[in-house]
């Protein structure tokens, strides 16, 4: 069984969804600390032909060191961020080929009401996965009992709990996972890394910008072509 474990990201890039599609089960890692300037609270859109980082406002109730991802709350103190996000998308993607076809579906997803960051991101990821006909099973690390450890040990313990034979990891985790390789081998769990090769697709405006959030691909290429394009970048390699 192929397993991936990732924090629930806001408007993830297309490589994130390719990873979801590749595995049998995808575990949302919601029991770790919220990192500063993390992809959990921000991601990129194309605005005025430039890369633009949109951030979700969150309540600062505790210090970062004390804040667990699943407990982070969205802030609505000054404005409803979904209205601002919808307006930004409308202004910059209305000329995209498939905008009118997807506008209602996407805006309904972005307008999802919850006070928790994780729940908002997880709903987004699940709903976009449905649109892309991705049928992977999802679960939460917070629903697993007696799972402890830091970094590689935490990942290993989740893999053991899920009885997986392959752990599929993002490339960015390679450096820290290397020192845990022997432990994974002892449990007969192979580590495979995602070397995603970002494809170029039709993109509204001038100059193609890589690694934008999935919404950019959807509005520009539509549902039928988006998954096919996403799969073109697929490349995994054993450690």
């Amino acid at each position: 069984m192929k397993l991936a474990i990732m924090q629930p990201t806001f408007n993830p890039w297309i490589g994130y969804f390719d990873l979801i599609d590749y595995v049998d089960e995808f575990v949302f890692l919601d029991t770790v600390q919220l990192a500063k300037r993390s992809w959990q609270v921000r991601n990129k859109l194309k605005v005025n032909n430039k890369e633009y980082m949109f951030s979700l406002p969150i309540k600062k109730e505790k210090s970062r060191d004390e804040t667990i991802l699943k407990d982070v709350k969205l802030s609505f103190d000054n404005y409803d961020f979904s209205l601002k996000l919808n307006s930004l998308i409308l202004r910059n993607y209305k000329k995209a080929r498939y905008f009118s076809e997807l506008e209602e579906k996407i805006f309904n997803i972005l307008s999802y009401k919850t006070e928790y960051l994780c729940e908002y991101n997880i709903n987004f990821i699940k709903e976009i996965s449905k649109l892309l006909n991705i049928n992977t099973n999802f679960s939460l690390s917070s629903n697993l009992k007696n799972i402890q450890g830091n970094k590689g040990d935490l990942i290993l313990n989740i893999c053991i709990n899920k009885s997986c034979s392959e752990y599929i990891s993002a490339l960015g985790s390679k450096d820290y996972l290397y020192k845990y390789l022997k432990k994974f081998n002892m449990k007969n769990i192979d580590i495979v890394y995602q070397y995603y090769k970002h494809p170029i697709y039709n993109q509204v405006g001038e100059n193609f910008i890589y690694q934008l959030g999935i919404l950019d691909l959807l509005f520009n290429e539509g549902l039928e072509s988006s998954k096919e394009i996403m799969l073109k970048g697929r490349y995994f390699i054993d450690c």
Side-chain angles (χ1 to χ4, degrees), residues 8 28 108-114 117-130:
F28 290 114
N108 283 339
I109 294 172
L110 295 177
S111 300
Y112 178 75
K113 299 302 181 183
T114 175
L117 172 69
C118 264
E119 185 178 345
Y120 184 82
N121 288 343
I122 289 171
N123 179 74
F124 178 96
I125 293 165
K126 286 183 174 180
E127 291 301 317
I128 296 297
S129 294
K130 289 178 185 177

Side-chain angles (χ1 to χ4, degrees), residues 1-4 22 164-168 189-192 238:
M1 193 262 280
K2 295 182 177 70
L3 183 75
Y22 183 71
C164 76
S165 56
E166 290 183 60
Y167 171 59
I168 317 299
I189 300 172
D190 295 326
I191 300 178
V192 177
D238 296 337

Side-chain angles (χ1 to χ4, degrees), residues 68-81:
I68 302 302
L69 196 52
K70 69 181 181 65
D71 298 325
V72 177
K73 292 183 179 180
L74 294 163
S75 175
F76 297 92
D77 292 342
N78 298 317
Y79 63 96
D80 185 335
F81 68 85

Side-chain angles (χ1 to χ4, degrees), residues 216-232:
D216 185 83
L217 173 64
L218 292 173
F219 285 133
N220 282 294
E221 292 286 2
L223 294 180
E224 187 172 338
S225 297
S226 287
K227 188 172 183 179
E228 181 180 345
I229 292 168
M230 179 187 78
L231 294 177
K232 288 181 179 179

